[in-house]
Amino acid sequence: MLLTLVYGLLKGAREIVKKKCLERNSVVEVLFFYTLVGLILCLLMPGTEEVFQIEASVLPFILIKSFVIFLAWILSFKAIKSMPVSMYGVLDMSRVIFATLLGTFVLHEVWSVGQMIGLPLVLLGLFLLRILKSKKDQEEKIEPKTVVFAFLSCALNAVSGFLDKVLMRGITSAQLQIWYMFFMVIMYGLYLLCSRTKINWKALLRNYWIPLLALMFVIADKCLFIANGYPDSKITIMTLIKQSSCFVTIILGRLVYHEKNILKKSICAAVVLAGILIALI
């Protein structure tokens, strides 16, 4: 639970850093160089000697996970670039729905009484975000496709979380992290070439947010993979704990970008928090 909480808090802060990265470089540039720096950091961590001691039959499944995240990050970065991070943080909680469905119907995880009460509260908080209107909402008009991008990203991230749980039954956190980062660098590199994106090297070299984002990502994913490695960890519970990221994005969204409607978003997030606490009892 503690490792997953650390992941959630870092994830919330990462949304702010992502938006900062995108102020200086394009989505494609940030995705490629951020994953490249992340891979280098992973290779410098202890335990890399076991990376090549992995069965070849596992690599195709890691490749599938990498492709899922490849798509999820493109969608999430495009969404974050076009909407307030506090709003994205609340929408991101919809991954609870997808992760719960996967954990229940695929891994056959059994719900506790707390989860049965907590999940509806989490969904209620998301629903309230939609129905609680105010005059200030006109200042935060968001294109429908941006919201669709956010939801699709959540669904793909839930699939990735499911694959993490399955893969961590037979490999170490270092093996999963380095191999999937390696595949990601290749995918984003090909995306960079195929899209014929012109790299703004001057802005890139001054974009210190990219290495910070990579460092936060590596630490957060390490915590998550280790947590997934515990046999008694459940996707349904872990996904609920991850929603702590929402509070970080709301607070930092206000402090850094002076975003509007913070009270409304905080009420919705508080309902979600109540659901999380009840589910963990």
Side-chain angles (χ1 to χ4, degrees):
M1 288 184 182
L2 180 59
L3 287 168
T4 309
L5 179 61
V6 171
Y7 170 86
L9 297 176
L10 284 172
K11 180 183 177 300
R14 264 169 34 206
E15 310 304 353
I16 302 294
V17 178
K18 286 177 187 177
K19 200 169 184 72
K20 284 292 186 182
C21 288
L22 294 170
E23 290 176 1
R24 302 189 180 188
N25 291 96
S26 67
V27 170
V28 186
E29 288 176 290
V30 173
L31 283 170
F32 174 70
F33 287 100
Y34 141 62
T35 50
L36 178 60
V37 174
L39 175 62
I40 294 171
L41 291 175
C42 286
L43 291 171
L44 295 176
M45 295 176 69
T48 55
E49 63 278 354
E50 62 188 21
V51 169
F52 295 102
Q53 300 171 5
I54 187 172
E55 294 183 14
S57 58
V58 179
L59 293 178
F61 295 99
I62 298 179
L63 181 60
I64 292 172
K65 172 200 162 51
S66 302
F67 183 68
V68 169
I69 288 295
F70 165 78
L71 295 176
W73 283 1
I74 291 175
L75 293 169
S76 67
F77 271 67
K78 287 183 179 294
I80 288 170
K81 188 173 184 177
S82 305
M83 70 164 57
V85 286
S86 54
M87 176 66 77
Y88 178 84
V90 182
L91 289 175
D92 188 58
M93 292 188 291
S94 63
R95 71 172 65 191
V96 171
I97 305 169
F98 306 112
T100 300
L101 290 174
L102 286 170
T104 302
F105 295 107
V106 181
L107 295 179
H108 307 293
E109 294 180 355
V110 180
W111 288 30
S112 66
V113 175
Q115 284 175 267
M116 292 179 185
I117 300 172
L119 180 61
L121 280 175
V122 171
L123 300 180
L124 175 61
L126 190 62
F127 178 68
L128 287 175
L129 181 69
R130 174 64 181 161
I131 65 172
L132 291 179
K133 300 284 185 179
S134 72
K135 293 180 180 179
K136 292 180 180 178
D137 285 334
Q138 301 302 318
E139 302 174 22
E140 290 189 349
K141 277 192 174 181
I142 302 169
E143 291 185 16
K145 71 174 183 179
T146 303
V147 177
V148 171
F149 285 168
F151 279 121
L152 286 176
S153 172
C154 291
L156 291 170
N157 274 302
V159 172
S160 174
F162 162 74
L163 292 172
D164 288 344
K165 182 62 179 173
V166 175
L167 287 166
M168 284 303 298
R169 291 174 176 174
I171 60 178
T172 66
S173 60
Q175 288 173 327
L176 177 56
Q177 192 168 27
I178 291 177
W179 276 108
Y180 115 83
M181 287 297 294
F182 172 71
F183 289 137
M184 294 276 284
V185 169
I186 293 176
M187 290 178 187
Y188 285 124
L190 291 173
Y191 182 29
L192 191 70
L193 292 173
C194 293
S195 62
R196 296 182 179 179
T197 301
K198 186 177 180 181
I199 300 174
N200 186 342
W201 290 103
K202 185 176 180 180
L204 186 69
L205 294 173
R206 294 180 179 179
N207 198 343
Y208 54 84
W209 295 103
I210 291 178
L212 176 60
L213 181 61
L215 178 62
M216 295 170 71
F217 166 70
V218 169
I219 295 173
D221 261 23
K222 187 70 173 179
C223 291
L224 187 62
F225 292 156
I226 293 174
N228 271 304
Y230 288 106
D232 57 345
S233 62
K234 292 184 178 181
I235 287 180
T236 47
I237 291 291
M238 291 175 67
T239 303
L240 288 172
I241 298 174
K242 289 177 188 177
Q243 306 322 305
S244 56
S245 63
C246 173
F247 297 92
V248 181
T249 55
I250 289 175
I251 294 170
L252 292 181
R254 176 61 179 174
L255 295 176
V256 178
Y257 287 105
H258 309 291
E259 294 178 353
K260 308 294 183 181
N261 300 328
I262 296 301
L263 178 59
K264 183 185 80 171
K265 294 167 188 173
S266 298
I267 291 172
C268 298
V271 175
V272 173
L273 176 61
I276 292 173
L277 293 176
I278 291 173
L280 295 179
I281 295 177

